[in-house]
Amino acid sequence: MVASVLVVMIAAGIAWFVARDDGPNLVTGVETAATSGQESEAGPSQEAEDPSKGASPESEKQAEQQAKVLDALLTDSRGSRSGLGPALNQLRSCTDTAPALETVRRVTDARREQVVQVKALDTGAFDEGDGGDTVKNRLTEALTASFNADEAFLTWATRQDADCDKAWSGDKDYQRGLAFSGKATAAKRSFLELWNPLAQRYNLPKRAEHEI
């Protein structure tokens, strides 16, 4: 009888010791795991909400240099265009047609070279918002249309110099030149919508259609 009571008491003591020793550790382990899981989930979420923004100083400097190269090409295009209007007036009025023809030829050659140059431009440093490829494509379209107009006017001017005809307005090559000139003007407007904000950003002069 005494032995039985001792066995029961010993068993109860062992059960109490196990419950006291292991219970809190098991609970604490579960809580720690849950807490750890919450923290690991919160960490990436907070990092994702704070991405790095803005171009690096090196990229911005490269974009500025590319903008300056493009601006120099625009300045060159303005210079080559300056004598075209007076030369066409001379050809229309059959006055000093030989030097006027040379001017139209010079402008056409210069425009051809500008188309080659703009196609070789690197505008890759402009960020996505600036649309570097779009800027380049619109300028290429504008200068190509201008070149096509100059080439058509040159064909007319060559014939006009050889045998001047004051009834020039109906000439097919002259009319073709006017048509390409209209396309060039529309393309220039489209280009300037993107270019002028970029020019302002990099402290470069804004342009108007007649300056290209």
Side-chain angles (χ1 to χ4, degrees):
M1 182 67 177
V2 173
S4 298
V5 171
L6 288 174
V7 169
V8 171
M9 290 177 64
I10 291 171
I14 293 174
W16 175 83
F17 180 82
V18 171
R20 181 186 64 116
D21 190 56
D22 291 345
N25 288 341
L26 290 175
V27 172
T28 302
V30 171
E31 289 177 349
T32 301
T35 303
S36 176
Q38 290 172 356
E39 290 176 353
S40 64
E41 290 174 1
S45 174
Q46 291 172 352
E47 290 176 2
E49 292 172 359
D50 186 25
S52 177
K53 296 180 180 180
S56 67
E58 293 79 9
S59 297
E60 187 67 9
K61 184 66 175 178
Q62 187 179 8
E64 182 179 3
Q65 290 301 319
Q66 291 178 2
K68 288 180 178 179
V69 172
L70 194 155
D71 178 71
L73 178 59
L74 296 179
T75 299
D76 184 52
S77 73
R78 180 180 183 178
S80 65
R81 181 185 185 276
S82 60
L84 181 61
L88 293 178
N89 284 334
Q90 288 174 252
L91 288 158
R92 284 189 287 257
S93 63
C94 298
T95 305
D96 295 328
T97 59
L101 172 61
E102 288 306 310
T103 298
V104 176
R105 182 175 288 115
R106 174 183 59 78
V107 171
T108 303
D109 290 342
R111 191 74 75 193
R112 181 187 295 108
E113 180 61 26
Q114 289 158 11
V115 172
V116 173
Q117 290 174 352
V118 72
K119 288 182 178 179
L121 284 179
D122 184 5
T123 56
F126 295 157
D127 60 42
E128 184 177 350
D130 294 330
D133 288 342
T134 306
V135 170
K136 178 178 175 177
N137 291 340
R138 289 186 185 182
L139 181 57
T140 301
E141 182 181 356
L143 292 182
T144 299
S146 291
F147 166 68
N148 290 336
D150 295 340
E151 203 170 39
F153 285 134
L154 178 60
T155 301
W156 166 77
T158 302
R159 193 167 54 252
Q160 191 78 338
D161 177 53
D163 183 16
C164 197
D165 182 6
K166 290 191 176 182
W168 46 264
S169 61
D171 185 272
K172 64 178 182 180
D173 292 312
Y174 185 85
Q175 289 297 323
R176 194 160 56 89
L178 289 179
F180 278 120
S181 183
K183 291 180 180 179
T185 298
K188 290 173 186 177
R189 289 192 191 121
S190 181
F191 162 72
L192 290 174
E193 287 176 358
L194 294 179
W195 170 249
N196 279 336
L198 272 176
Q200 185 176 15
R201 174 176 176 177
Y202 296 114
N203 297 316
L204 298 170
K206 291 185 177 182
R207 305 278 178 169
E209 296 161 21
H210 66 277
E211 295 178 302
I212 302 177

